[in-house]
Amino acid sequence: MLAKLSTRPAVVRRCAATGATALALVGAGLPAAARDGTGADLTRFYRQKVTFSKCTGEDMPKDLQCGRVTVPLDYARPGSGTLDLALARYRSTGRKHGSVVLNFGGPGAPGVSELAAGGHDFMDLTDNYDVVSFDPRGVGRSSPVSCGDGAFGTSSGTGASTRSEDPRAVLAQVKKAADECAENAGPVLPHIGTVNSARDLDVIRAALGDKKLNYLGFSYGTRLGAVYAAQFPGKVGRFVLDGVDTLTEPMSEQGVAGAEGQQTALDDFTDWCAEDVACPFGQDARDAREQVVRLVHSLDEDPVPTDFGQDFTGQDLVGAIGQALYSKQLWPSLERAIAELVEDGDTRGVLGFATGGAGLPVRQRANGGLVDENDVPLDNLPAALMAIDCADDPDRPGADRLVGELGRLRAEYEQASPVFGRYRLTQLLMCYGRPKGTDYIREDVRDVRTPKMLLVGTRGDPATPYRWTVETAKRLGSSAVVLDNRGEGHTGYASSKCVHGKVDTFLLYGTLPPSGSSCGPED
């Protein structure tokens, strides 16, 4: 899948996990026995407190504070190693009622840099809360995973391609890429995934001193929120899930839905671009769409070099375009970036979208400690995306089945989108050769017994279809209240004043809109 993140204009935006065992927590957040089902003692992690100080690094706002929380590498064996997770917060300016924790999606979005870039959107929440975000395990400064220095410049940052006509050659290439990711990702890779990230989220809640977790999750962050609610129903406070992810659809179906949504958004972009004399594709919208396809094919046949020593391919361009299409506010920047690429061979603009603004590739990373912002691997976003999605996916069809289905899948994906189909199909295949993921999300995240939570679905969302909001609401049960955003773009909080207001009203005052109420496209 393409990374599914919130539409924050300043930042570019969609595995073996263990089963989950809920912790019985009491009082201020300390576990009653501080043990999970394996008998592991987690007391020391729940007793820690976060020490915040001024954030270091370029372009960090002066009023943003950074800290860290230590979590077990392996919750079943907490004595075998630890990880430090990077946190950032804007302090409450009013009467503090605790914290609200944000997750910006992906999977693979670094919360610290996202909050630094887009914190102005959440300043109203500081009337009552510290506004906090974090880099999940394997992401950003929190033991970032990588597929190696050679991974960037290839399809999905993985080094694999579906172009070969020989299905077994495709799978051999995919398996090689999976092995390279396993070799370069470090010790966190076997313990990555949403089940463990939800456990981390509860440790963060306790370390912040909150009895309940107040939470605002975008896109993939809605999956994380739903898993937390299933694991820790007694610790759920005011929860908002915006751009609701599916909990049940296989990755193959997710990929087709994503390709269709992104193609629709691309058609809208080329229509918009063709009205501008500066459009690199000219002023004929239909011809502009065909030019996009030709440009992708041309770069796949003859990639262009980048300043980082790696080639930039057509599939890298597809990934960059996909990230930019999530918000119309990014379209002018995408138009300029493509013009620079077409006219001058300058890849810097499109690279900013393709990598999410990450740092340079590095061979050595800290073992469990926080990583400096400049040492985040260039391919961390796509590497983390695949690692987390594969950790959450229990389907591992064998080689014979995949070989038999590859032709049909190619046709289905290319029919969904002549631009995004191949890219999405490559991402679908990337779990081949990786350990089987957990079935906890698909089987057990349902009928949660929590306070009412708000689910926001956007009708024109290219990444998380509105039907996923309806399906997930039914699955979560009577706790889910749906807000129908009749607008466009991925998620609603940043693009709709109506959605923004209703979400803030709920988080600040606990007042929910009636289930089934809507926000109009003009709001």
Side-chain angles (χ1 to χ4, degrees):
M1 296 182 295
L2 284 174
K4 298 179 290 189
L5 300 95
S6 69
T7 53
R8 201 129 340 269
V11 180
V12 184
R13 329 287 181 238
R14 215 222 149 273
C15 9
T18 59
T21 303
L23 295 175
L25 305 179
V26 296
L30 291 178
R35 297 181 185 277
D36 65 8
T38 65
D41 189 347
L42 305 174
T43 304
R44 66 186 179 105
F45 300 102
Y46 276 88
R47 283 182 174 166
Q48 65 185 308
K49 298 298 179 185
V50 186
T51 300
F52 285 100
S53 60
K54 179 179 173 59
C55 293
T56 60
E58 298 180 4
D59 301 322
M60 282 292 183
K62 294 181 179 179
D63 54 343
L64 186 68
Q65 296 180 320
C66 288
R68 69 179 68 190
V69 164
T70 301
V71 297
L73 175 65
D74 181 352
Y75 275 88
R77 298 185 304 122
S80 63
T82 61
L83 300 171
D84 286 341
L85 305 181
L87 274 67
R89 76 169 179 186
Y90 286 103
R91 297 192 68 178
S92 172
T93 57
R95 185 177 178 183
K96 180 180 174 181
H97 295 286
S99 306
V100 59
V101 178
L102 314 179
N103 180 278
F104 293 99
V112 172
S113 59
E114 287 269 8
L115 188 60
H120 57 277
D121 283 341
F122 307 99
M123 287 301 101
D124 288 345
L125 295 176
T126 60
D127 288 348
N128 284 10
Y129 296 111
D130 288 347
V131 175
V132 179
S133 192
F134 67 105
D135 292 356
R137 57 172 62 206
V139 173
R141 303 184 188 190
S142 302
S143 297
V145 294
S146 170
C147 289
D149 292 2
F152 180 72
T154 54
S155 173
S156 308
T158 63
S161 169
T162 59
R163 293 182 65 192
S164 173
E165 293 300 320
D166 181 359
R168 293 194 182 276
V170 171
L171 293 183
Q173 191 177 9
V174 169
K175 180 62 168 63
K176 180 182 178 182
D179 291 342
E180 291 175 354
C181 291
E183 180 180 349
N184 287 279
V188 69
L189 185 61
H191 308 287
I192 206 167
T194 304
V195 169
N196 278 331
S197 289
R199 291 176 168 183
D200 294 341
L201 193 53
D202 198 55
V203 174
I204 291 172
R205 172 201 59 76
L208 293 172
D210 293 337
K211 294 181 179 180
K212 304 277 187 178
L213 176 68
N214 302 305
Y215 180 78
L216 173 54
F218 299 100
S219 194
Y220 159 78
T222 68
R223 187 198 310 173
L224 177 59
V227 172
Y228 181 91
Q231 288 180 291
F232 305 97
K235 295 302 176 184
V236 170
R238 295 172 184 173
F239 258 49
V240 179
L241 310 181
D242 183 3
V244 182
D245 202 356
T246 179
L247 300 175
T248 58
E249 281 196 5
M251 288 182 66
S252 58
E253 296 180 20
Q254 293 182 44
V256 171
E260 291 173 341
Q262 291 299 108
Q263 186 63 48
T264 299
L266 177 60
D267 292 346
D268 291 342
F269 167 75
T270 52
D271 288 345
W272 169 87
C273 184
E275 296 178 358
D276 184 357
V277 295
C279 181
F281 303 119
Q283 275 63 62
D284 186 306
R286 178 176 297 181
D287 183 62
R289 293 169 192 162
E290 295 175 355
Q291 285 192 54
V292 174
V293 176
R294 291 197 294 269
L295 178 60
V296 170
H297 288 169
S298 174
L299 287 171
D300 279 334
E301 294 294 335
D302 187 18
V304 297
T306 71
D307 293 340
F308 302 115
Q310 303 292 337
D311 288 340
F312 188 83
T313 70
Q315 297 309 295
D316 296 319
L317 177 61
V318 172
I321 292 173
Q323 299 292 356
L325 290 178
Y326 284 155
S327 171
K328 289 185 178 180
Q329 297 175 68
L330 296 173
W331 288 6
S333 298
L334 176 63
E335 180 188 41
R336 289 192 298 271
I338 294 177
E340 292 166 356
L341 174 68
V342 171
E343 296 167 7
D344 303 318
D346 187 347
T347 61
R348 287 175 294 181
V350 286
L351 277 174
F353 290 109
T355 66
L360 296 174
V362 291
R363 294 185 181 275
Q364 301 295 329
R365 292 178 295 280
N367 184 18
L370 294 187
V371 170
D372 184 87
E373 64 169 344
N374 295 319
D375 286 341
V376 176
L378 187 64
D379 73 321
N380 178 238
L381 192 151
L385 166 73
M386 291 314 307
I388 296 168
D389 273 344
C390 292
D392 290 356
D393 179 57
D395 297 330
R396 290 296 185 274
D400 290 343
R401 177 179 167 187
L402 286 174
V403 166
E405 293 184 349
L406 189 55
R408 177 187 62 80
L409 288 170
R410 277 181 177 145
E412 185 177 1
Y413 274 68
E414 289 176 5
Q415 182 178 4
S417 170
V419 174
F420 294 97
R422 179 182 150 203
Y423 188 98
R424 293 279 187 163
L425 178 55
T426 299
Q427 290 189 318
L428 167 66
L429 295 178
M430 287 316 299
C431 290
Y432 177 77
R434 296 179 185 239
K436 181 179 178 180
T438 182
D439 60 4
Y440 176 82
I441 299 172
R442 193 177 294 177
E443 297 296 329
D444 296 330
V445 181
R446 63 172 71 240
D447 300 320
V448 296
R449 296 184 178 182
T450 68
K452 297 287 187 182
M453 61 179 70
L454 180 61
L455 278 61
V456 181
T458 298
R459 292 282 180 167
D461 195 315
T464 50
Y466 180 78
R467 62 181 173 82
W468 286 358
T469 300
V470 177
E471 291 167 2
T472 299
K474 291 181 179 178
R475 184 175 178 84
L476 294 179
S478 60
S479 297
V481 173
V482 173
L483 175 61
D484 182 357
N485 178 31
R486 299 178 181 273
E488 303 291 327
H490 184 35
T491 72
Y493 187 79
S495 59
S496 167
K497 292 181 179 179
C498 173
V499 171
H500 194 111
K502 291 182 183 299
V503 168
D504 282 1
T505 297
F506 173 52
L507 289 173
L508 290 169
Y509 310 113
T511 303
L512 277 165
S515 188
S517 60
S518 64
C519 286
E522 71 283 353
D523 294 334

